[in-house]
Amino acid sequence: MSENNRAILNDMNPTAEKVKLGDMAAYAPVIFRKAITAAANSTALAAFTAPFAMRIVDIIVEATATVSGGTVTPKKGTTAMCTAIACAADKAVTHMSEGAFVAALELAAGDVVNLSTANAEDRGIVTFIGVRL
């Protein structure tokens, strides 16, 4: 969001000015969720397309099936964003914790984020938390 647009939102009416509506919109985190409900081991699953420039600050995987050795690898296009995230025990929740690739975590508008799994049976819900750049 441009400085000009933020100022317009902040000044559009007394209530917006009081709560700084433009500042809230510009600095609010963005969240995307994608459920893995089919095999994503041989063909990547598109999670979302970045609507604006952003930096991913956390990725959370909630497993919805038990599969030995299950993992999810989030990718900017075909480049891994981090080390594969565990997705092996039903109801287990795991955050991105290692191997973050800074260049892959920064997205430009239009970049596609994909998910790949280790096994055809891996299932889960992946949540991306980001901030606008």
Side-chain angles (χ1 to χ4, degrees):
M1 174 179 295
S2 72
E3 289 288 325
N4 188 43
N5 287 343
R6 193 172 80 204
I8 290 168
L9 281 175
N10 281 343
D11 298 335
M12 64 190 259
N13 66 47
T15 302
E17 185 176 359
K18 185 175 182 177
V19 299
K20 299 288 186 192
L21 182 62
D23 292 345
M24 288 191 304
Y27 301 116
V30 292
I31 300 171
F32 297 91
R33 289 177 54 118
K34 181 66 176 180
I36 300 170
T37 58
N41 61 323
S42 59
T43 301
L45 172 68
F48 69 94
T49 301
F52 39 74
M54 69 174 65
R55 177 179 296 116
I56 301 299
V57 296
D58 196 9
I59 304 169
I60 307 162
V61 175
E62 177 186 352
T64 57
T66 297
V67 180
S68 179
T71 64
V72 174
T73 303
K75 299 178 176 183
K76 174 182 174 180
T78 57
T79 303
M81 296 175 132
C82 62
T83 302
I85 303 169
C87 184
D90 189 20
K91 299 180 183 72
V93 177
T94 309
H95 289 254
M96 170 181 71
S97 61
E98 61 186 13
F101 301 109
V102 175
L105 293 169
E106 291 201 2
L107 307 175
D111 281 347
V112 176
V113 174
N114 295 305
L115 300 170
S116 294
T117 60
N119 306 291
E121 301 81 21
D122 293 342
R123 300 290 182 269
I125 300 167
V126 182
T127 303
F128 296 84
I129 301 173
V131 293
R132 296 173 191 257
L133 295 177

